């Protein structure tokens, strides 16, 4: 692994969309707004605030318009949301969205299971969203699911991934997010794929999105960064997941990744102490323990007091040392 040497990375938060949509408890609207406002001051490049999917499909985010309209906007933060179709795009525009995030899977089986459409049907629908975004002069990012593998099909050929990238690039989208939707990625694969696709389309804004399903989220993040990726999705506390990855803990945790990258010498622009404090508030909101590690253990240089009887321990150790020296000839 290489040291960061101050390389600037840009962090995107997805807990308020990708995370909250997986929670069984509805998070009150005022609490969502307060969390987004708190996160806005912690150094993020982008926050995925909500989804403009139908309330019937994702009831946890049925308050998307109100949340997006009431948050306090900071000029240095991009406020994005998931936009599934033209109707959702129209709702998003009414809510003054900064960017459309559109999603489809590079796996036919996963796309059918998750979106109830073939990939061609998804592409045709999303092409309509892109056309509307162009007219409104709103940037579009495409999140491609299952880039690193499909839980139903297995490996997804690089040529397939590249083919969908090329088709969206032809529609002049701004960016592509490479999503490890169910946590199947591994470091050498990540590095090879990221190097290949970014070299083919250098003008695109590239983002990596990892889940920690099999405990490889952190090392996959390092692999992506060393391959040249400079934008990273992550989720506060590690909440989130996918219904097609049973037992998965969720997305890679923001505070864990930021802590690691800062230790390695990368400039994330993030307030780590603020993240840990926000994660504590998030845990109270979701009412269950978060899978993140740094929120519990603290920074690696966090110092702890010695045990209460430490002075006695020292005294006894020195007495033994003194007695031993006296016995020496």
């Amino acid at each position: 692994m290489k040291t960061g040497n101050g390389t600037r990375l840009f962090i995107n938060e997805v807990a308020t969309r990708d995370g909250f949509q997986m929670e069984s408890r509805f998070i009150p609207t005022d609490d969502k707004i307060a969390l987004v406002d708190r996160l806005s001051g912690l150094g993020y490049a982008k926050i995925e605030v909500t989804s403009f999917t139908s309330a019937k499909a994702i009831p946890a985010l049925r308050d998307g318009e109100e949340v997006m309209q009431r948050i306090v906007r900071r000029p240095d933060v991009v406020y994005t949301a998931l936009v599934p179709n033209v109707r959702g795009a129209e709702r998003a525009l009414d809510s003054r969205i900064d960017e459309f995030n559109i999603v489809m899977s590079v796996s036919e089986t996963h796309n059918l299971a998750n979106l109830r459409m073939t990939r061609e049907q998804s592409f045709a629908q999303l092409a309509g969203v892109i056309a509307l975004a162009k007219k409104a002069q709103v940037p579009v990012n495409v999140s491609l699911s299952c880039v690193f593998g499909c839980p139903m099909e297995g490996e997804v050929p690089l040529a397939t991934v590249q083919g969908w990238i090329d088709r969206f690039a032809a529609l002049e989208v701004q960016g592509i997010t490479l999503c490890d939707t169910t946590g199947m990625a591994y470091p050498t694969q990540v590095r090879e794929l990221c190097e290949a696709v970014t070299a083919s389309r250098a003008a695109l804004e590239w983002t990596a999105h990892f889940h920690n399903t099999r405990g490889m989220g952190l090392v996959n993040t390092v692999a992506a960064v060393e391959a040249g990726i400079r934008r990273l999705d992550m989720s506060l506390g590690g909440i989130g997941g996918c219904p097609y990855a049973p037992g998965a803990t969720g997305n890679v945790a923001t505070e864990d990744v930021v802590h690691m990258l800062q230790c390695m010498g990368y400039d994330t622009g993030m307030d780590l102490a603020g993240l840990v404090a926000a994660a504590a508030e998030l845990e109270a909101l979701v009412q269950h323990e978060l899978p993140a590690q740094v929120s519990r253990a603290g920074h690696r240089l966090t110092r702890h007091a010695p045990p209460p009887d430490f002075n006695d321990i020292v005294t006894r150790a020195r007495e033994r040392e003194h007695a031993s020296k006296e016995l020496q000839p």
Side-chain angles (χ1 to χ4, degrees), residues 52-54 83-90 102 125-126 128-129 132:
F52 288 95
T53 308
S54 73
V83 177
N85 50 39
V86 170
R87 174 62 190 129
E90 292 169 345
I102 60 177
Q125 179 170 278
L126 295 178
V129 174
L132 181 61

Side-chain angles (χ1 to χ4, degrees), residues 54-274:
S54 73
K56 185 177 180 180
I58 305 182
L61 301 178
R62 59 182 179 266
D63 54 357
E65 279 99 335
E66 184 176 357
V67 173
M68 185 64 80
Q69 289 168 358
R70 288 177 54 197
I71 58 174
V72 177
R73 309 291 182 102
R74 290 179 62 108
D76 54 340
V77 180
V78 172
Y79 296 92
T80 185
L82 178 64
V83 177
N85 50 39
V86 170
R87 174 62 190 129
E90 292 169 345
R91 291 167 55 205
L93 288 175
D94 290 340
S95 300
R96 299 183 297 114
I97 196 171
D98 292 335
E99 177 195 81
F100 289 175
N101 183 35
I102 60 177
V103 179
M104 69 164 279
S105 180
V106 295
S107 157
E108 183 77 354
T109 306
H110 183 267
N111 205 72
L112 283 162
N114 192 43
L115 301 177
R116 305 296 189 265
M117 290 182 285
T118 67
R119 289 174 297 179
E120 289 296 340
Q121 289 169 330
S122 282
F123 183 77
Q125 179 170 278
L126 295 178
V129 174
I130 294 168
L132 181 61
K134 279 186 178 180
K135 186 176 180 180
Q137 296 184 316
V138 174
V140 177
N141 181 79
V142 185
S143 290
L144 293 177
S145 302
C146 294
V147 164
F148 301 98
C150 170
M152 290 162 278
E153 293 184 11
E155 301 289 358
V156 176
L158 175 59
T160 299
V161 176
Q162 188 67 67
W164 288 106
I165 290 171
D166 291 343
R167 292 181 68 177
F168 279 109
L171 296 182
E172 300 180 333
V173 299
Q174 176 175 310
I176 300 282
T177 300
L178 304 168
C179 298
D180 181 27
T181 311
T182 59
M184 295 174 66
Y186 56 91
T188 51
Q189 174 203 32
V190 168
R191 181 158 189 161
E192 290 170 4
L193 187 144
C194 289
E195 287 178 344
V197 299
T198 56
S200 70
R201 295 282 180 179
L204 286 171
E205 192 174 89
W206 293 97
T207 303
H209 176 113
F210 295 110
H211 286 235
N212 203 37
T213 310
R214 293 169 177 83
M216 289 194 280
L218 289 175
V219 69
N220 285 335
T221 299
V222 173
V225 170
E226 292 188 348
I229 300 293
R230 295 292 176 261
R231 299 176 184 275
L232 301 162
D233 283 355
M234 51 198 75
S235 178
L236 188 69
I239 64 172
C242 176
Y244 303 103
T249 55
N251 299 63
V252 68
T254 308
E255 58 268 43
D256 292 354
V257 179
V258 168
H259 174 261
M260 175 190 69
L261 293 172
Q262 289 183 353
C263 287
M264 295 177 69
Y266 289 97
D267 175 11
T268 66
M270 298 295 297
D271 175 357
L272 181 58

